[in-house]
Amino acid sequence: MVATRESEAASGTAQQVDVAVVGAGFAGLYLLHRLRKAGFKAIALDEAGDVGGTWYWNRYPGARCDIQTIDYSYTFDPELETAWTWSEKYATQPEILRYLGFVADRYDLRRDIRFNTKVRAATWDETTERWQLTTDNGAHVSCRHYIMATGCLSAPKPPEIDGVKDFEGKVYFTGRWPHDGVDFAGKRVAVIGTGSSAIQSIPLIAEQAAHLTVFQRTPNFALPAHNGPAPSDRMDLFQSDRAAYREQARQSMAGVPYPQQTVVSWQLSDAERRERFERAWAAGDLVHILTQLWADQAVDVDGNRIVQDLIREKIRAAVKDPETAAALTPHDHPFGAKRPCLDTNYYATYNRPNVTLVNLRQEPIKAITAGGITTAKRNVDVDVIVFATGFDAMTGAIRAVHPITGRSGKSLTDVWAQGPQTYLGLTVEGFPNFFMITGPGSPSVLSNMAVSIEQHVDWVVDRLKALRDAGFTTIEPTETAQAGWGRHMADCSMVTLHRLANTWYTGANVPGKVQGLMPYTGGVGPYRSICDEVTSRGMLGFKLT
Ligand code: FAD
């Protein structure tokens, strides 16, 4: 196999497959498995040296999932579910990576994955009705169907600060962490950013470093993880009827099996609301607090403000210095409109004598120098800078394959010049046989992504099978269907509070990126029903040839 690939690369001939998948994370692995079972000749290509995607790259201290691992798992094979037991409520990155390696071994997936292979460009050939992919190592692939399982959070955002190259110390990015770890002992460390990766890593870096300075532009709401063994109430529910538990997740709004709340905030007394909040705070579960307090918390500013105030109280209680507490307290977005974080000792870390918070709203960074970071008010000398500055989310990895050329020479970059246009977040008009897993326009990052990924992969592979069996060679959405999906997306987003926050959900974290809410806010269960309806109504909104 390897010899064949090398000779193909050397001679410039393309490897011929039915389906090429880009990415070997949660999505790519499951795709490969399902495509093979459906009788397709398929390969996956990944820039990484092994499987895992997110969990291959993000090896920073404290990296964990923030959806309980019992829910953040594959569910497609009951035997796989019993063959693997998670050790914690929120598994660490090494454990999740081991799990994905275990899955790759169990289904013998690695033999069809080309690692260390970055896909550079993709072109639709109208004559042969095939995609031609080019890669950074000379390998060419020709495929009938091209599926991007490239991840919503896989393209790290480059630093926007002048002088990074002049810095004489060490620079690390949470999203590209060295495999052999980093020793912070005795070091003066800067962390830039206070998103999820920063909130997870700051407490552990602070324990090691001589001094840690955190540079914060926008504070986030963080909730305690209360990590430990998987909670017995959830485990009992799961063990009592696994199939029903999984089905409830698939039909839920966020991909986690919680019931829909019907009681609204004003039906509850202050004492009742506090009691619900304290119970949710003690549960240490993002989805619980996001969905189970009262029904209007995600859709009504007043219902949401009550939650915000209760969390602000917790921040003030946890952080001793009032000025630091005030700087760490968010005021610029509704709770949940920006992804909240789960923390272990995050706020308490600011009580340590070796930790300083620099509020960039008051003193922006002017430059990075040879010895450290200069703000409008001070010079901070450091040995190490950790950039926890997030990702060019949802579209970054897709746009990085450039050009993606569809029918009549259309480039995806041009088609998306005013923001991503998709049908169902899965397909794009003018780009036949092209699919995205958890693409912009699907529930994706607003959900437990394990559930959303399985739904997308199942839908795509089932459609490809049906297409093949019926003798069709191409599938593409209509312009009308795509425009309709755009309108539906906009309508749904008017109902939630997401429109009131500038976040990576809207592209606001990347300078120059067109602003607009990228994930579908209508919920996981309703989205699944729409996809099923598209199928049952004869592939509504698609052209087949
Ligand atoms: P990824 O895991 O991102 O894999 C994409 C792969 O595509 C990568 O390996 C990348 O190298 C490869 N790739 C991209 N472009 C190219 C190219 N041009 N050529 C070749 N290869 C390419 N989600 C949750 O639901 N719950 C959580 O608790 C959670 N925690 C997270 C914690 C962190 C730190 C991060 C960063 C994300 C987290 N997520 C979480 C989101 C997470 O990304 C998804 O859950 C899931 O892992 C995505 O899987 P994927 O296969 O779609 O993409």
Side-chain angles (χ1 to χ4, degrees):
M1 176 72 82
V2 172
T4 315
R5 287 174 179 176
E6 278 167 0
S7 52
E8 274 167 359
S11 67
T13 57
Q15 185 182 1
Q16 306 284 328
V17 291
D18 299 322
V19 188
V21 173
V22 187
F26 248 104
L29 291 177
Y30 181 44
L31 263 169
L32 200 51
H33 172 64
R34 282 271 354 241
L35 287 163
R36 265 195 203 158
K37 279 190 66 171
F40 290 103
K41 187 172 175 196
I43 56 159
L45 305 115
D46 202 306
E47 184 186 353
D50 200 354
V51 300
T54 290
W55 306 102
Y56 173 90
W57 296 108
N58 289 267
R59 299 174 188 240
Y60 58 84
R64 290 176 188 276
C65 56
D66 55 16
I67 298 282
Q68 292 196 30
T69 346
I70 176 191
D71 300 310
Y72 186 60
S73 307
Y74 289 117
T75 67
F76 64 87
D77 179 354
E79 286 180 19
L80 170 64
E81 291 208 61
T82 45
W84 183 272
T85 306
W86 294 105
S87 69
E88 285 180 285
K89 178 175 160 190
Y90 297 107
T92 58
Q93 171 272 328
E95 188 174 3
I96 303 173
L97 186 59
R98 274 201 306 281
Y99 170 72
L100 293 171
F102 173 79
V103 170
D105 289 342
R106 188 177 171 95
Y107 304 102
D108 187 21
L109 299 176
R110 284 193 180 86
R111 72 182 151 90
D112 285 324
I113 306 176
R114 286 185 172 195
F115 295 112
N116 304 307
T117 305
K118 183 171 183 148
V119 174
R120 288 255 183 247
T123 304
W124 173 250
D125 180 335
E126 309 220 15
T127 318
T128 58
E129 294 187 327
R130 294 177 73 83
W131 283 94
Q132 309 299 332
L133 310 188
T134 52
T135 65
D136 64 347
N137 61 15
H140 294 267
V141 176
S142 164
C143 52
R144 173 79 63 204
H145 300 282
Y146 166 42
I147 309 182
M148 295 193 82
T150 43
C152 294
L153 299 170
S154 58
K157 194 169 77 90
E160 302 154 31
I161 309 158
D162 288 342
V164 180
K165 285 195 195 72
D166 303 331
F167 181 61
E168 286 173 0
K170 297 273 190 199
V171 173
Y172 300 102
F173 293 83
T174 49
R176 289 287 181 274
W177 205 255
H179 288 200
D180 42 6
V182 177
D183 182 8
F184 292 107
K187 300 280 195 317
R188 297 163 304 170
V189 182
V191 171
I192 301 183
T194 47
S196 183
S197 302
I199 284 175
Q200 289 186 330
S201 59
I202 281 168
L204 296 175
I205 296 174
E207 279 174 17
Q208 280 187 40
H211 196 92
L212 169 64
T213 310
V214 178
F215 295 82
Q216 172 193 270
R217 190 162 58 184
T218 316
N220 259 310
F221 288 106
L223 317 164
H226 298 307
N227 200 16
S232 53
D233 56 339
R234 303 299 300 166
M235 284 310 285
D236 291 348
L237 208 59
F238 177 54
Q239 301 294 6
S240 65
D241 188 344
R242 286 174 179 233
Y245 184 92
R246 295 305 190 203
E247 192 49 29
Q248 193 185 353
R250 292 182 191 119
Q251 300 306 334
S252 69
M253 288 302 278
V256 178
Y258 279 117
Q260 192 71 36
Q261 269 302 315
T262 49
V263 176
V264 291
S265 57
W266 44 265
Q267 291 176 297
L268 300 163
S269 67
D270 276 354
E272 285 167 331
R273 285 196 294 258
R274 181 167 290 277
E275 194 274 327
R276 281 183 177 224
F277 173 77
E278 291 296 345
R279 199 154 17 97
W281 192 261
D285 183 331
L286 213 55
V287 183
H288 184 135
I289 208 161
L290 279 166
T291 63
Q292 298 299 295
L293 295 180
W294 35 88
D296 50 336
Q297 72 182 73
V299 292
D300 178 79
V301 276
D302 294 328
N304 189 278
R305 196 172 296 120
I306 304 168
V307 192
Q308 294 174 39
D309 288 343
L310 288 163
I311 301 175
R312 290 189 190 115
E313 245 180 56
K314 293 285 185 192
I315 300 172
R316 279 195 296 275
V319 182
K320 289 189 184 135
D321 174 46
E323 200 184 327
T324 307
L328 288 167
T329 305
H331 287 283
D332 68 341
H333 63 276
F335 172 67
K338 180 172 181 163
R339 178 145 181 131
C341 306
L342 265 196
D343 85 78
T344 299
N345 296 329
Y346 175 64
Y347 291 119
T349 294
Y350 291 94
N351 298 331
R352 294 176 67 103
N354 70 332
V355 176
T356 308
L357 179 70
V358 173
N359 183 352
L360 298 180
R361 296 281 174 211
Q362 289 173 1
E363 45 175 313
I365 293 179
K366 292 181 93 176
I368 294 181
T369 60
I373 298 175
T374 304
T375 72
K377 288 189 183 164
R378 60 184 122 174
N379 290 321
V380 182
D381 292 333
V382 291
D383 309 302
V384 178
I385 301 177
V386 174
F387 283 95
T389 38
F391 298 91
D392 180 352
M394 308 223 44
T395 53
I398 298 171
R399 285 174 181 272
V401 175
H402 181 70
I404 299 177
T405 310
R407 214 182 270 290
S408 313
K410 259 190 198 176
S411 139
L412 191 70
T413 311
D414 294 340
V415 172
W416 283 9
Q418 297 310 315
Q421 318 280 325
T422 70
Y423 183 41
L424 304 170
L426 278 160
T427 55
V428 184
E429 192 266 331
F431 295 77
N433 296 3
F434 168 67
F435 297 90
M436 296 161 293
I437 302 300
T438 65
S442 73
S444 56
V445 289
L446 295 182
S447 68
N448 169 5
M449 292 194 66
V451 168
S452 288
I453 285 169
E454 281 193 341
Q455 185 267 339
H456 264 190
V457 169
D458 287 339
W459 193 88
V460 170
V461 178
D462 288 345
R463 302 291 62 76
L464 293 189
K465 250 170 66 182
L467 204 69
R468 179 194 59 195
D469 296 349
F472 292 106
T473 50
T474 72
I475 174 170
E476 181 189 337
T478 65
E479 205 178 337
T480 313
Q482 183 162 293
W485 187 249
R487 281 196 300 276
H488 176 59
M489 290 263 302
D491 287 347
C492 288
S493 73
M494 289 311 289
V495 181
T496 73
L497 301 179
H498 285 102
R499 68 188 188 284
L500 303 179
N502 293 325
T503 68
W504 55 263
Y505 293 151
T506 65
N509 65 327
V510 178
K513 191 165 173 174
V514 175
Q515 302 287 297
L517 190 62
M518 292 179 283
Y520 175 65
T521 52
V524 165
Y527 174 81
R528 174 181 296 267
S529 304
I530 293 169
C531 290
D532 291 346
E533 192 185 344
V534 164
T535 312
S536 65
R537 293 179 62 186
M539 294 306 286
L540 192 66
F542 283 100
K543 288 179 283 198
L544 311 180
T545 63

